[in-house]
Amino acid sequence: MGFSAIADLIKYFFTVAGVLVLHFLLTYSMMVRFVANLNPIVFYRNFYPVMAYAFSTSSSNATLPVTLETVEHRLGVKNEVASFTVPLGATINMDGTAIMQGVATVFIAQAYNVPLDIGTQLTMLLVLMLTSKGIAGVPRASLVVVTATCAMFHIPPEGIALILPIDHFCDMGRSMTNVLGNALATSAVSKWEGQL
């Protein structure tokens, strides 16, 4: 398809990566500081091994044992809180997945010149946020939801093939974001329960 297709994929990749980094630096750091009442630098330093593991496996579910061990032994969360919130969060706390799905669907719509008014975009983002809550924490599971969402909004679902060449790299970042959000939620619940 020529260099223009590669340039578009590079823009897509950096858009997903940029939003994930922004979410990490702003949203998560503020929540660590003001919701869990922890020092973000110490929190990230203690949780770094799990983030690296999620990044390398591209799977939120594969990190479950490591996440449980880390939140208990390095972040100080009691087992009775961690054993409930970590598995639950691995199923429903998929911030990175929701971010990627929104960007991917809009990218595919733009690639096929499908106009999306603001109402359609907001509806689509709401659908994607809700559907991201039940996605399996395995590599590239979110592509199924993106395909179904494209069909729902009259965007050619075969457009998913456009992002397949680089999806693995995006999946690494979104898996890391997912497990980080899971640890943050676990720490916040533990703090509210007075068990951190």
Side-chain angles (χ1 to χ4, degrees), residues 44-125:
Y44 295 140
R45 188 180 314 130
N46 286 329
F47 199 67
Y48 176 75
V50 179
M51 292 166 42
Y53 192 76
F55 188 80
S56 64
T57 61
S58 299
S59 172
S60 302
N61 286 353
T63 65
L64 272 173
V66 180
T67 303
L68 265 171
E69 181 181 334
T70 303
V71 297
E72 288 179 25
H73 297 110
R74 295 185 78 166
L75 298 178
V77 175
K78 301 275 189 208
N79 179 268
E80 54 236 19
V81 173
S83 62
F84 177 73
T85 57
V86 169
L88 179 64
T91 305
I92 65 170
N93 192 13
M94 300 285 196
D95 296 352
T97 300
I99 289 169
M100 170 270 170
Q101 289 174 337
V103 174
T105 307
V106 171
F107 173 78
I108 294 167
Q110 289 176 346
Y112 283 94
N113 294 317
V114 176
L116 299 173
D117 59 47
I118 192 71
T120 304
Q121 289 182 41
L122 291 174
T123 304
M124 185 171 57
L125 291 176

Side-chain angles (χ1 to χ4, degrees), residues 1-190:
M1 292 176 63
F3 184 74
S4 65
I6 294 172
D8 289 340
L9 279 176
I10 290 169
K11 286 183 211 171
Y12 165 75
F13 172 78
F14 281 110
T15 301
V16 171
V19 175
L20 290 174
V21 168
L22 192 65
H23 189 60
F24 172 82
L25 292 176
L26 290 180
T27 310
Y28 282 168
S29 295
M30 288 176 58
M31 290 180 74
V32 167
R33 183 71 194 115
F34 298 112
V35 176
N37 200 22
L38 299 170
N39 182 335
I41 295 170
V42 173
F43 179 84
Y44 295 140
R45 188 180 314 130
N46 286 329
F47 199 67
Y48 176 75
V50 179
M51 292 166 42
Y53 192 76
F55 188 80
S56 64
T57 61
S58 299
S59 172
S60 302
N61 286 353
T63 65
L64 272 173
V66 180
T67 303
L68 265 171
E69 181 181 334
T70 303
V71 297
E72 288 179 25
H73 297 110
R74 295 185 78 166
L75 298 178
V77 175
K78 301 275 189 208
N79 179 268
E80 54 236 19
V81 173
S83 62
F84 177 73
T85 57
V86 169
L88 179 64
T91 305
I92 65 170
N93 192 13
M94 300 285 196
D95 296 352
T97 300
I99 289 169
M100 170 270 170
Q101 289 174 337
V103 174
T105 307
V106 171
F107 173 78
I108 294 167
Q110 289 176 346
Y112 283 94
N113 294 317
V114 176
L116 299 173
D117 59 47
I118 192 71
T120 304
Q121 289 182 41
L122 291 174
T123 304
M124 185 171 57
L125 291 176
L126 180 64
V127 167
L128 290 169
M129 283 192 304
L130 291 173
T131 56
S132 72
K133 302 303 176 201
I135 291 179
V138 296
R140 282 161 292 297
S142 58
L143 295 178
V144 175
V145 173
V146 172
T147 304
T149 305
C150 283
M152 180 178 167
F153 289 94
H154 308 292
I155 301 166
E158 60 272 9
I160 199 73
L162 297 173
I163 62 172
L164 280 177
I166 61 165
D167 185 64
H168 177 70
F169 303 107
C170 296
D171 201 5
M172 295 164 77
R174 70 180 175 252
S175 296
M176 185 176 72
T177 303
N178 291 340
V179 298
L180 182 58
N182 193 5
L184 170 57
T186 299
S187 299
V189 169
S190 184

